[in-house]
Amino acid sequence: MKRVVALGLIFGIVLIGGTAVTTYAAQKTLRVGCLGPLSGSAAPWGFDVLRGLTLKVEEVNAAGGLKVGKDTYKVEISNYDTKARADEATTVAKKLIFGDKVKYIIGNPIGATCDAVQLVSEPNKVLFTFVCWGIKNLSRDKPYSFREQLGPLEACPVMYDYVLKKHPNIKTVALVDPNDTSGWDSAKGGKIGAEKFKIKVVADVYYERGTKDFSPFVTKLLAANPDMIDFAGSPPGDGGLMAKILHERGFKGLKVYGACVSSEPYIKVAGEAANGTYTGIGWDPEGAFVRSGVKELSKRARAKFGEPMGINGPANYAAAQMLFEAMQKKGTLNVDKIIEYWLSNRIETILGPIVIGGKEDYGINRQFLFPMVANVVRDGKIVNLEEILPFQLR
């Protein structure tokens, strides 16, 4: 009898009400990394990516773990605060890779911190997905890096196209961004969109992260007398402060926010000044034209965390979906096999079908491509207008 019990424990077979239920007594642990700012004006982005990954991991574990080949894994998250600083990102990336032994980092905003992480992740062949907008974060010499969010080359031109169809009299634009890799590359996306649709860039303004007084920068923007101002890659709190000052100074032009992936923090800071702002990736995750899976995820996030999600949350959830699906389908944790699966399949996620492209822009297919939603702020709320496709999917 003792021998039978022992075998039962080894194979994980338990009789409940006459039914054999399989448990996994020999369950292993799979550790996944996550990075992002959890303090400062960019914190909404960091919390979004962490929450998206957290909800997917909770699903997997609640279902009994991740079955990969003959093994079953309980998934755990190692998360660290980059504080939106490159030096801190390097430090915590080393903790993840050398201390926690992670082979997958799912989620990180801000291009400058991505640069820092990649100095550690690439030579160690760690799979790294991120939402940051740094254009050079995707390249042939970074084969283990993927952007899971639409970047400036995907989002900005199609957003300008949409806005111009609604406001054909727009002839000039002023851009304002943080003075780092994310900001510079966000501006490039805006400039490409402007050039494509023959809009003149009359100002290209940069500020240091951590800035509290945006009055001097708003003065520069207004001095250029633009028809449209694009907050581009500015964090939601910074964009909100600038919108508020612009409103107080009587700006009547159009406002576009390329990287406003967390609309509610922007609206909270800007107040009525947010009204009329167009966004390309700042969806209402529970609004019209948003996929049903995103809506359900946002409701879960609101119930668990007391706040709605920006699009970075669903994007990171989708990246985790893709990671775990590849592990299960290929029956391995091998990073190269996971990448092979991603590149050879069109994968269904809560964002819709995702294909990986970008070779024409980056020299390598490492950009997640999926439908986006055009939005505008009305009466203090983000309103989804319609689903639109990046030019790369048309």
Side-chain angles (χ1 to χ4, degrees):
M1 182 66 182
K2 289 181 181 179
R3 181 177 175 80
V4 173
V5 171
L7 288 172
L9 288 174
I10 291 172
F11 289 103
I13 299 173
V14 181
L15 290 178
I16 300 177
T19 302
V21 178
T22 301
T23 64
Y24 299 100
Q27 192 177 60
K28 299 180 179 181
T29 297
L30 175 67
R31 191 166 293 280
V32 177
C34 185
L35 297 171
L38 301 178
S39 53
S41 62
W45 297 345
F47 281 111
D48 247 10
V49 295
L50 175 58
R51 289 168 179 174
L53 179 59
T54 296
L55 291 173
K56 183 58 187 174
V57 167
E58 285 182 350
E59 281 180 22
V60 169
N61 289 337
L66 186 69
K67 189 75 165 60
V68 182
K70 296 180 180 180
D71 295 317
T72 300
Y73 295 86
K74 177 184 178 183
V75 184
E76 295 184 356
I77 300 170
S78 288
N79 180 68
Y80 294 99
D81 182 4
T82 66
K83 302 177 184 177
R85 293 185 353 225
D87 60 339
E88 190 67 22
T90 300
T91 298
V92 295
K94 289 178 179 178
K95 286 182 180 179
L96 279 179
I97 295 169
F98 303 127
D100 298 337
K101 307 296 184 183
V102 304
K103 296 298 291 182
Y104 328 92
I105 301 175
I106 306 300
N108 181 70
I110 304 178
T113 62
C114 266
D115 290 341
V117 174
Q118 287 173 315
L119 292 174
V120 188
S121 63
E122 283 294 331
N124 288 284
K125 298 183 178 181
V126 172
L127 179 63
F128 180 31
T129 72
F130 46 81
V131 300
C132 31
W133 267 26
I135 292 174
K136 292 182 180 179
N137 292 131
L138 299 184
S139 67
R140 282 178 290 184
D141 63 345
K142 297 171 183 173
Y144 293 95
S145 297
F146 292 76
R147 181 163 29 244
E148 63 190 47
Q149 178 58 278
L150 298 174
L153 302 188
E154 293 73 43
C156 293
V158 73
M159 196 61 216
Y160 279 24
D161 179 41
Y162 182 85
V163 169
L164 278 175
K165 287 175 181 175
K166 303 293 183 182
H167 303 272
N169 294 327
I170 297 295
K171 303 298 181 186
T172 59
V173 62
L175 307 169
V176 57
D177 285 278
N179 189 27
D180 57 24
T181 300
S182 287
W184 306 330
D185 287 350
S186 296
K188 288 178 186 176
K191 290 171 186 175
I192 289 171
E195 181 179 3
K196 185 177 181 69
F197 299 106
K198 296 180 171 58
I199 303 172
K200 183 179 180 181
V201 178
V202 293
D204 186 14
V205 177
Y206 299 91
Y207 65 90
E208 300 302 324
R209 288 192 188 270
T211 294
K212 303 299 182 185
D213 180 10
F214 285 92
S215 296
F217 302 99
V218 170
T219 297
K220 290 180 181 179
L221 296 173
L222 292 174
N225 194 30
D227 299 325
M228 179 171 74
I229 291 177
D230 187 353
F231 299 126
S234 304
D238 297 349
L241 288 172
M242 286 185 277
K244 192 170 184 178
I245 299 170
L246 285 166
H247 182 70
E248 291 169 352
R249 296 191 184 179
F251 178 66
K252 301 298 183 184
L254 202 64
K255 298 184 292 294
V256 175
Y257 207 155
C260 187
V261 294
S262 303
S263 298
E264 290 210 9
Y266 165 66
I267 294 168
K268 184 177 180 179
V269 173
E272 63 177 330
N275 290 329
T277 305
Y278 282 92
T279 76
I281 51 177
W283 315 350
D284 170 5
E286 296 173 32
F289 304 105
V290 172
R291 304 275 171 143
S292 60
V294 174
K295 292 181 183 181
E296 290 305 312
L297 185 69
S298 180
K299 290 175 182 176
R300 286 174 56 200
R302 191 186 292 273
K304 183 176 180 66
F305 305 112
E307 294 180 337
M309 281 185 145
I311 188 56
N312 280 342
N316 213 40
Y317 179 100
Q321 270 187 300
M322 293 174 64
L323 176 68
F324 298 146
E325 177 179 316
M327 289 175 172
Q328 291 177 309
K329 295 287 187 180
K330 299 293 286 187
T332 180
L333 302 180
N334 181 274
V335 168
D336 292 311
K337 295 293 185 182
I338 291 166
I339 291 174
E340 180 184 283
Y341 180 83
W342 281 5
L343 295 177
S344 58
N345 288 276
R346 178 177 178 267
I347 304 175
E348 290 293 333
T349 74
I350 59 167
L351 295 174
I354 288 180
V355 295
I356 297 178
K359 188 172 183 178
E360 290 184 3
D361 293 314
Y362 311 106
I364 189 170
N365 287 326
R366 291 296 185 273
Q367 170 67 55
F368 287 15
L369 296 171
F370 53 88
M372 60 187 280
V373 178
N375 320 270
V376 70
V377 180
R378 291 179 183 157
D379 300 322
K381 295 182 179 179
I382 193 75
V383 177
N384 296 158
L385 299 172
E386 62 182 272
E387 186 175 88
I388 54 179
L389 290 177
F391 288 111
Q392 292 84 350
L393 285 178
R394 296 183 182 182

